[in-house]
């Protein structure tokens, strides 16, 4: 007998020329499949005799039991066998090093070779083992269960206690085994161990800071259109309109109208027929700016010291929508009074057609010679008076709701760069996981009681300004980076496939999908609707021109088909219809263009970011067209060479003249030659109206958005915008932290050097070295640093779709999905 020691397996094997069977006191059994041993039997054997202790290991279960004997070298255990259908296998003997006697065990090829049952030994453990092994085989091939994942609402199994060294905790072998000898040291490459977020230590919690006098004075910013002096000036103009209406109503009722009628092309005609609605629509343009400020500020006011709203990020719009149809979202967001205010603002649009017909001509016979005189329509005048009083009350509520004490803002949040500053240290970033490709990201974000103000954390003493949930853990997306593993050529394909499926194959496919990237645009700018608008606009303008000039129908006048006689209150059915109806239709055209204009303003930063070469910060992150008035947008867009935005906004401004001219161009005139009343048009005004309507109609040919203006989802809420920023490394840029003013933000993004100091006045400390930072190098240059919208590697080391620098040092350039336009 030759004794051979295998240092790798740490066992001893005995080679014999002929198979032998040695019976020992150890309790062992073969399985129903002739190749497994019972864990339970091993435990019983270990308890019965210390001299017969051996470490048995059961190989993992297989889908089906093999019928052919494996190589004895690969066998984990052996039992004695006798001649049969299968040839006997060579001996594979394990020897316990702690026992002097040699105990050998030979593998059985069938049950017939097993020795008779030992008297006094219970066979129940063997039977249980056989049943267990059969059940495990069924589990492996899937016959014994429906799914490998726990069903919903089913509690997961409790974790097993930690296993001491030297024990195999696999289901097949749980018997103690002696620890293997220490292998000789081998050279290994140093690699820092990666830690899961839960192993880093105690969780960092955001803690609100009790505001001192100095910190409190920094807060309280109110956007310029909502400041008390600006709202006071607008309220004063409303009072002037109210005073003018009251004077006209009182004076016309006591002095036989106002002025004599002197024709339809005179300055007096312009004052009574064009000027009222022109002043009214300028007030509406100003009101649009106030509404836009309310929309973008309200979510942050709902995070301030006043009442909180848990749905501020998801349900509160940041883009105006109170144009052609009223916006009722304020009622759904528990802003009842503000909802009533915006309903009044929407009703203010009716002041334009009412102002167009508030002054009419009246035949006066009891004040000198009979003649036509301009008078005030009493019913229309009192209606306008009520609307302007309601408008003034709405302005007062806005001044009260958006007063300084309710604001925790540092500046007006109107651009993407402002969002980066407000949410760069927020603890809600994990809520936006994979929301960049969701068609409805607002419904994916859970409600949270967010606060806007100064915070500190339980791990860092630094005070910063931002948005977060009080006393909630900071759930950062950034993890300690791991060094890349060496990729062998033979495993390169497998590593690529593993990386592809590591973060969800569906999400990876979607962020690279052109369908997802170019999925969303407003319903009124989809291809079918744009085509319908173009056809309808062109056909209507052609019909309008034909009816107007064929046979001089407008110039010579036409029958009113309604009574034209003006009663004592100044009301004439014919004059009212041909003033109110054209102005109302013109107002519909004017309001219908405003959502188109607002869309092009809001999406322009993303269009610039979608360029293959990206865009500078001034053309993207700092761009805030929705916050400007029409004239300012036109000027800024021309300077920035955003010519399409400039043209769309110019048409939005030009279209206000359509209701102004349409409401005053027609009037009823008595023709003594044929003793009848006809409706005639003031031809200078009518020609100008025809030109403007033609330009307006053919402008629909230019509203077709290119693919660069298509986005994965809407952009009307903070949550929708944050879905493209939550994983961006921009939120971790040191140079964008601790910014106190908007001027400083613009300087940081456009290249001006700045020294970062905390809001408490202390120098900012570097996290790695623990030393104060002296200065932050320039973050961007308009001629160098560029940003893009595409696929980037986020702070968590995974690919995301959103906004980041076009290229960062040491990383590849962002993948900006190419477009065909």
């Amino acid at each position: 007998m030759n004794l051979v020691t295998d240092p790798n397996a740490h066992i001893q094997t005995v080679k014999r020329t002929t198979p032998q069977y040695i019976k020992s006191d150890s309790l062992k059994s073969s399985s129903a499949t002739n190749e497994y041993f019972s864990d339970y039997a091993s435990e019983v054997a270990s308890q019965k005799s210390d001299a017969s202790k051996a470490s048995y290991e059961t190989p993992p279960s297989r889908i089906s039991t093999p019928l052919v004997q494996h190589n004895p070298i690969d066998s984990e255990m052996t039992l004695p066998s006798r001649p049969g259908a299968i040839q006997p296998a060579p001996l594979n003997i394990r020897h316990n090093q702690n026992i002097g006697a040699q105990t050998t065990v030979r593998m059985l090829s069938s049950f017939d070779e097993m020795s008779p049952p030992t008297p006094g030994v219970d066979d129940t453990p063997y039977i249980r083992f056989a049943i267990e092994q059969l059940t495990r085989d069924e589990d492996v091939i899937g016959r014994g269960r429906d799914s490998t994942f726990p069903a919903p609402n089913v509690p997961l199994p409790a974790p097993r206690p930690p296993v001491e060294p030297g024990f195999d905790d696999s289901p097949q072998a749980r018997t103690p085994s002696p620890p293997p000898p220490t292998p000789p040291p081998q050279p290994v490459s140093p690699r820092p161990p990666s830690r899961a977020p839960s192993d880093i230590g105690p969780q960092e919690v955001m803690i609100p800071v009790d505001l001192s006098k100095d910190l409190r004075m920094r807060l309280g910013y109110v956007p310029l259109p909502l400041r008390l002096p600006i709202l006071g000036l607008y309220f004063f103009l409303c009072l002037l309109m109210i005073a003018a209406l009251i004077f006209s109503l009182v004076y016309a009722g006591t002095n036989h109208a106002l002025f004599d009628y002197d024709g339809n092309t005179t300055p007096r005609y312009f004052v009574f027929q064009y000027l009222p609605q022109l002043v009214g629509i300028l007030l509406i343009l100003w009101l649009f700016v106030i509404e836009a400020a309310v929309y973008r500020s309200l979510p942050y006011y709902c995070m301030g010291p006043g009442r909180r709203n848990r749905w501020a990020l998801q349900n509160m719009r940041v883009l105006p929508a109170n144009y052609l149809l009223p916006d009722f979202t304020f009622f759904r967001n528990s802003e009842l009074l503000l909802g009533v205010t915006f309903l009044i603002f929407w009703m203010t649009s009716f002041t334009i057609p009412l102002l167009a017909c508030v002054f009419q001509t009246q035949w006066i016979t009891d004040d000198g010679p009979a003649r036509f005189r301009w008078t005030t329509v009493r019913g229309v005048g009192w209606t306008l008076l009520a609307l302007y009083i309601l408008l003034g009350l709405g302005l007062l509520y806005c001044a009260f709701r958006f007063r300084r004490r309710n604001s925790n803002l540092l500046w007006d949040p109107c651009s993407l760069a402002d969002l980066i500053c407000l949410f760069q240290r927020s603890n809600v970033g994990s809520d936006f996981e994979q929301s960049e490709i969701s068609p409805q990201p607002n419904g994916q974000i859970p409600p949270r009681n967010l606060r806007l103000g100064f915070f500190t954390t339980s791990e860092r003493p630094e005070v910063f300004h931002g948005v977060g949930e009080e006393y909630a853990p900071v759930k950062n997306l950034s993890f300690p980076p791991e060094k890349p593993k060496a990729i062998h050529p033979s495993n390169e394909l497998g590593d690529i496939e593993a990386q592809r499926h590591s973060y969800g194959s569906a999400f990876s496919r979607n962020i690279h999908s052109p369908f997802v990237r170019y999925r969303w645009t407003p319903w009124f700018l989809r291809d079918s609707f744009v085509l319908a608008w173009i056809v309808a606009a062109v056909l209507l303008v052609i019909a309008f021109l034909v009816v107007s000039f064929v046979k001089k129908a407008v110039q010579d006048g036409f029958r009113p088909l309604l009574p034209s006689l003006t009663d004592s209150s100044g009301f004439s059915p014919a004059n009212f219809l041909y003033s109110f109806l054209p102005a109302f239709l013109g107002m519909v055209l004017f309001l219908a263009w405003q959502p188109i204009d607002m869309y092009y303003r809001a999406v322009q930063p993303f269009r610039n970011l979608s360029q293959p070469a990206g865009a500078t910060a001034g053309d993207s992150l700092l761009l805030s067209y929705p916050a400007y008035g029409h004239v300012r947008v036109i000027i800024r867009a021309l300077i920035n060479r955003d010519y399409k935005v400039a043209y769309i906004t110019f048409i939005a401004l030009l279209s206000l003249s359509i209701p102004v001219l349409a409401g005053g161009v027609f009037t009823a005139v008595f023709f003594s030659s044929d003793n009848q009343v006809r409706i005639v048009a003031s031809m200078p005004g009518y020609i100008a109206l025809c030109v403007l309507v033609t330009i307006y109609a053919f402008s629909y040919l230019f509203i077709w958005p290119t693919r660069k203006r298509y986005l994965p989802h809407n952009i009307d809420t903070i949550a929708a915008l944050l879905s493209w920023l939550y994983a961006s490394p921009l939120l971790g840029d040191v140079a964008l932290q601790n910014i106190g003013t908007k001027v400083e933000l613009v300087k940081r993004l456009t290249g001006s050097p700045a020294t970062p100091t905390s809001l408490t006045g202390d120098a900012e400390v570097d996290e790695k070295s623990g030393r104060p930072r002296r200065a932050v190098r320039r973050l961007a240059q308009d001629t160098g640093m560029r940003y893009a919208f595409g696929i980037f590697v986020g702070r968590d080391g995974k690919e995301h779709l959103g906004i980041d620098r076009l290229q960062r040092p040491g990383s590849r350039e962002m993948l900006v999905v190419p477009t065909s336009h």
Side-chain angles (χ1 to χ4, degrees), residues 666-684:
F666 293 108
T667 186
V669 177
F670 176 74
F671 290 87
S672 57
S673 58
D674 50 4
N675 197 24
Q676 64 178 358
V677 177
R678 294 198 296 269
I679 301 297
V680 297
S682 176
M683 291 311 296

Side-chain angles (χ1 to χ4, degrees), residues 56-83:
Y56 294 102
E57 296 177 1
T58 305
S61 69
R62 304 171 185 173
I63 295 180
S64 60
T65 303
L67 297 178
V68 180
Q69 177 64 39
H70 292 283
N71 191 324
I73 298 176
D74 299 332
S75 300
E76 292 282 342
M77 290 185 176
T78 58
L79 278 178
S81 61
R82 68 182 181 183

